């Protein structure tokens, strides 16, 4: 199912990315591609935590592993931090020398989506995103996430900012444009939704 979603998203980008119209800094294909990803990964996360008991969300498969509650907190906080990092990049000067062709940009977009969700390689979360019981319940984390994600969806849907010509360096992905920071944000939430599903698949996971 996930691979089918990604295939459809990439096809949408290919169809709509050929021409930049006047007053449209973001290609419509790029806009639709990001919106579809943001909607899809939001649903995956919210569905993954729906109806879970307190015992289930606080279960840890090992002392050094995150619980579902901690994963949810991390996802919710990351929604703010990653989008803010992207938007702050717009304050830097545009670098036209780094702007890729539509075809090359789409390849990197897909690489980001595929690479970030791959949990083969594990990374330590930066200190601001380490779980600290910021939310009293998973439901509070979900509400925070929904508010932030809806705001980010609205931004991508309506923005005329030049997201493809401003760049910042990510420690694992290298130099990426602002648009790709938002794809990273979407993929990041899916990465940790997969972590939630790993917790739920543990043989000792509480039945209710």
């Amino acid at each position: 199912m996930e691979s089918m979603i990604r295939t459809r998203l990439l096809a949408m980008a290919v169809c709509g990315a050929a021409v930049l119209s006047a007053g449209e800094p973001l290609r419509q294909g790029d806009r639709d591609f990001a919106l579809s990803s943001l909607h899809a990964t939001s649903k995956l996360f919210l569905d993954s935590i729906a109806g879970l008991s307190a015992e289930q969300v606080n279960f840890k498969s090992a002392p050094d592993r995150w619980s579902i509650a901690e994963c949810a907190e991390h996802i919710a906080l990351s929604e703010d931090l990653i989008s803010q990092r992207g938007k702050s990049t717009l304050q830097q000067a545009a670098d036209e020398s780094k702007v890729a062709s539509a075809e090359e940009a789409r390849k990197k977009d897909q690489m980001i989506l595929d690479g970030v969700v791959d949990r083969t390689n594990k990374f330590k979360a930066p200190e601001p995103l380490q779980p600290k019981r910021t939310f009293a319940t998973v439901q509070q984390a979900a509400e925070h996430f929904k508010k932030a994600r809806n705001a980010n969806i609205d931004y991508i849907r309506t923005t005329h900012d030049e997201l493809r010509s401003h760049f910042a360096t990510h420690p694992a992905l290298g130099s990426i444009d602002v648009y790709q920071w938002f794809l990273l944000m979407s993929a990041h939430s899916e990465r940790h939704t997969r972590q939630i599903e790993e917790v739920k698949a543990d043989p000792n996971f509480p039945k209710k």
Side-chain angles (χ1 to χ4, degrees):
M1 176 62 74
E2 291 170 2
S3 62
M4 291 175 63
I5 291 173
R6 294 190 189 286
T7 300
R8 288 198 297 270
L9 290 174
L10 188 57
M12 289 169 62
V14 170
C15 291
V19 179
L20 270 177
S21 60
E24 185 68 46
L26 190 61
R27 296 180 178 89
Q28 189 59 45
D30 286 345
R31 197 183 299 275
D32 293 341
F33 182 76
L35 289 173
S36 294
S37 178
L38 290 166
H39 280 295
T41 57
S42 176
K43 185 177 188 305
L44 284 174
F45 167 53
L46 295 173
D47 285 352
S48 76
I49 60 175
L52 298 180
S53 68
E55 185 179 5
Q56 287 173 322
V57 299
N58 291 302
F59 167 81
K60 288 192 174 191
S61 59
D64 62 341
R65 300 294 180 86
W66 284 0
S67 66
I68 290 174
E70 290 172 324
C71 292
E73 177 183 353
H74 178 72
I75 290 171
L77 295 178
S78 297
E79 191 75 13
D80 297 323
L81 187 145
I82 298 175
S83 63
Q84 288 167 5
R85 181 69 178 91
K87 288 180 179 179
S88 68
T89 301
L90 291 168
Q91 305 305 313
Q92 302 174 22
D95 188 346
E96 297 296 335
S97 69
K98 291 184 177 181
V99 177
S101 67
E103 181 179 1
E104 289 304 313
R106 286 196 298 273
K107 287 180 181 178
K108 187 158 188 178
D109 295 346
Q110 196 64 48
M111 181 273 289
I112 290 170
L113 290 179
D114 293 339
V116 172
V117 302
D118 181 1
R119 287 185 43 75
T120 303
N121 295 316
K122 304 296 195 297
F123 302 94
K124 183 178 176 61
E127 195 281 330
L129 297 180
Q130 291 282 341
K132 301 179 181 68
R133 297 186 179 274
T134 304
F135 307 103
T137 66
V138 167
Q139 289 73 27
Q140 287 185 9
E143 288 303 315
H144 182 98
F145 168 83
K146 283 193 288 186
K147 182 177 180 180
R149 175 58 62 95
N150 287 340
N152 286 321
I153 286 172
D154 189 59
Y155 173 73
I156 293 296
R157 182 177 61 81
T158 61
T159 186
H160 289 280
D161 292 338
E162 296 179 2
L163 306 189
R164 286 297 202 181
S165 60
H166 297 261
F167 296 82
T169 300
H170 183 273
L173 300 172
S175 180
I176 60 176
D177 62 39
V178 177
Y179 175 82
Q180 290 165 342
W181 279 95
F182 280 86
L183 293 184
L184 164 63
M185 181 187 71
S186 181
H188 177 271
S189 65
E190 181 178 351
R191 176 184 179 87
H192 290 284
T193 298
R194 291 188 179 193
Q195 186 177 4
I196 288 172
E197 296 300 337
E198 291 169 9
V199 176
K200 291 161 71 174
D202 188 279
N204 295 316
F205 185 70
K207 298 300 182 184
K208 217 28 175 160

